[in-house]
Amino acid sequence: MTFESLRTNRFNQWVIIHLRYLLGVAFFPSGLVKLLGERFTRISTDHPIGFFFEALYQSGFYWNFLGLVQLTAGILLMTQRFATFGALLFLAILTNIWIITISLSFTGTWIITSLMMIAVLVLIMWDQHKLLPIFNYNKASTVKVYPDPGYGWIIAGVIYTISFIALYRLNPIMGEGYEKWLGILFVLIILVTFVISNYKAYKNRKLAINT
């Protein structure tokens, strides 16, 4: 099966779109923690992992910068339109995290980061046609145009981004009163957005538009 047939398959397009959403959301919790200047873990500094994260936390602005970059990569993936740049930024950050989880022997975490590495590499391979001209230095080359996600998926990504960030800040599981009800509201918004966006794509038999 050729790359073109894989790239234009509707089901493959659907998988890639939602893989971007999934990876983008994965960086929101850790990115927000760092950006807001909070500790990422409560592990004792007597343990190498706790000592490592405490040292990063004490670095000050660098800790916030890490969070900002993680959040930026996640948002770029959620937009769909700028997902290629988001995937490259995500890969740069995740490679560092992946090596850390392996070198510090995180229990089970290295498996999760390894799966995330595979997922982001799939996203980069999906957009390889946009990156190949970079390696064809001083050579004439053309970029094959493939369908990109439609505006419905972009709008859905914006809604997901706002909702997941709000959920994290509200923390409805631990919250009470209005926080709990607002949390339920945002969960419903996410579910409704998922159902509507996928129903429209199925009904129109068109997951993407040519740009």
Side-chain angles (χ1 to χ4, degrees):
M1 185 176 291
T2 64
F3 176 74
E4 183 171 356
S5 61
L6 288 171
R7 196 61 170 69
T8 54
N9 181 275
R10 292 182 67 253
F11 178 74
N12 292 342
Q13 293 173 358
W14 182 88
V15 170
I16 292 298
I17 287 170
H18 287 82
L19 187 59
R20 289 168 176 167
Y21 289 150
L22 184 62
L23 286 181
V25 169
F27 259 3
F28 285 176
S30 58
L32 284 168
V33 165
K34 298 181 183 72
L35 183 61
L36 297 174
E38 301 171 358
R39 282 183 170 83
F40 183 69
T41 180
R42 298 296 179 183
I43 300 176
S44 172
T45 53
D46 293 333
H47 193 283
I49 296 176
F51 183 83
F52 175 79
F53 278 110
E54 181 63 21
L56 285 178
Y57 173 74
Q58 294 295 339
S59 66
F61 175 70
Y62 179 64
W63 182 249
N64 305 122
F65 173 74
L66 289 175
L68 177 62
V69 177
Q70 281 186 287
L71 199 59
T72 300
I75 292 175
L76 288 172
L77 281 174
M78 299 293 283
T79 64
Q80 299 293 332
R81 181 60 59 87
F82 305 104
T84 305
F85 179 49
L88 291 173
L89 186 58
F90 198 99
L91 177 63
I93 302 168
L94 184 61
T95 300
N96 186 47
I97 296 174
W98 181 54
I99 297 299
I100 290 172
T101 58
I102 293 176
S103 62
L104 292 181
S105 301
F106 279 63
T107 304
T109 307
W110 68 271
I111 299 176
I112 298 175
T113 56
S114 296
L115 292 174
M116 292 175 69
M117 280 290 292
I118 294 173
V120 74
L121 288 174
V122 168
L123 293 182
I124 292 176
M125 290 175 63
W126 179 261
D127 287 333
Q128 61 173 294
H129 61 288
K130 299 178 182 179
L131 305 174
L132 287 177
I134 299 176
F135 301 97
N136 293 330
Y137 176 73
N138 207 24
K139 295 180 181 179
S141 61
T142 58
V143 179
K144 177 73 175 180
V145 178
Y146 291 104
D148 280 331
Y151 289 108
W153 297 114
I154 297 173
I155 294 173
V158 172
I159 295 175
Y160 288 146
T161 298
I162 295 173
S163 299
F164 277 111
I165 291 177
L167 278 174
Y168 173 78
R169 294 305 300 158
L170 289 170
N171 194 10
I173 297 177
M174 301 297 295
E176 298 179 356
Y178 80 94
E179 293 180 346
K180 183 177 181 179
W181 289 108
L182 279 177
I184 294 174
L185 175 62
F186 280 111
V187 170
L188 289 175
I189 290 174
I190 292 171
L191 293 176
V192 170
T193 301
F194 178 82
V195 171
I196 292 177
S197 60
N198 281 276
Y199 175 74
K200 286 185 175 180
Y202 173 78
K203 185 178 180 180
N204 296 332
R205 296 294 194 273
K206 189 175 182 181
L207 284 170
I209 59 173
N210 289 315
T211 57

